[in-house]
Amino acid sequence: MFCVSAFAFLSACATQIEEKISEGYDPVYPVEAPDLTATPPTGGIYTASSAGLFASDRRAARVGDILTVEFSEKFAASKSQSASGGRTNSYQIDLPDVLTGGFDETALTSGTDQSFNGRGAAQQSNSLTGRMSVSVVREMPGGMLEIMGQKRLTLNNGREYIRLTGVVRPEDIGPDNVVRSDRIAHADIQYVGAGDTHDTAKPGWLRRGISAISPL
């Protein structure tokens, strides 16, 4: 009974950890301050407080505004290395017969021959495409916008979390209120999973513990 309870606890541990992390990605909403300097309507179609001319520019500009991020991440890296070396040496001592007393001088001949060859290679490729909406959480000095957002997908046997934080320039936001992920500074993009599907792709905690202390 104890083993079953421990197994259930360990299985749910990853989900609980990710849910705890998700609390840091709660949406930030602007707080409306009372308008003490309201101006009477003038009948004009443009006002300085509007987001853009004719109110047609709906790009994110303030805390709480929603912004769409288009992921276009693609990285590829490769590395190869090879090394070889060799060394050969020999020596021979020739002594007069009077000193060797007829001893076979070939026994005083020796030599070594050493060689080494090594080769290594590594190659990695990653890509992430799609779209995700985030919120502006802070207006930074100079007009930069700090963004943050999370998308949580609940599947049959687990959950998937896509998280993003970073800083964007208003100039990089397109007319459709979309910014490319390669235009985000200090970007922190996370794509993690939790649940049964995620756990089956990982070795058990006992196996990981044995591997950590095994000298082989």
Side-chain angles (χ1 to χ4, degrees):
M1 184 64 181
F2 174 76
C3 295
V4 175
S5 301
F7 178 78
F9 172 78
L10 293 173
S11 300
C13 184
T15 302
Q16 294 175 354
I17 291 175
E18 296 301 332
E19 286 296 316
K20 187 64 177 179
I21 296 175
S22 297
E23 295 178 1
Y25 289 81
D26 289 341
V28 176
Y29 300 105
V31 177
E32 294 290 342
D35 189 2
L36 303 178
T37 59
T39 57
T42 61
I45 60 176
Y46 171 78
T47 60
S49 61
S50 62
L53 185 61
F54 307 121
S56 60
D57 191 352
R58 303 298 300 171
R59 284 178 289 192
R62 298 182 178 86
V63 174
D65 289 351
I66 295 177
L67 173 67
T68 300
V69 176
E70 181 176 359
F71 293 108
S72 55
E73 302 294 326
K74 186 175 183 180
F75 293 95
S78 61
K79 179 181 179 181
S80 62
Q81 180 180 359
S82 62
S84 62
R87 183 173 64 181
T88 302
N89 61 68
S90 62
Y91 63 88
Q92 181 177 1
I93 300 177
D94 187 6
L95 299 176
D97 292 340
V98 67
L99 297 179
T100 61
F103 182 75
D104 188 3
E105 294 183 1
T106 58
L108 301 178
T109 301
S110 179
T112 60
D113 188 1
Q114 301 177 3
S115 63
F116 168 78
N117 288 284
R119 178 175 298 177
Q123 187 172 359
Q124 185 174 0
S125 178
N126 297 284
S127 64
L128 178 63
T129 59
R131 285 192 173 190
M132 171 181 169
S133 293
V134 298
S135 299
V136 177
V137 296
R138 182 162 66 106
E139 296 181 56
M140 306 179 64
M144 302 295 182
L145 304 176
E146 183 179 357
I147 61 174
M148 181 178 67
Q150 173 184 251
K151 178 177 289 188
R152 179 173 57 188
L153 307 175
T154 302
L155 307 176
N156 291 335
N157 296 314
R159 290 181 177 178
E160 299 289 329
Y161 301 86
I162 306 174
R163 302 180 179 121
L164 169 65
T165 60
V167 179
V168 299
R169 298 189 313 162
E171 296 83 359
D172 292 331
I173 303 175
D176 54 351
N177 199 37
V178 175
V179 63
R180 291 175 42 141
S181 60
D182 56 4
R183 295 288 185 177
I184 301 175
H186 312 296
D188 183 3
I189 303 173
Q190 302 179 24
Y191 191 175
V192 297
D196 295 341
T197 304
H198 174 73
D199 293 340
T200 54
K202 296 173 55 180
W205 62 270
L206 181 58
R207 180 180 293 275
R208 294 198 302 268
I210 295 176
S211 300
I213 62 177
S214 175
L216 302 178

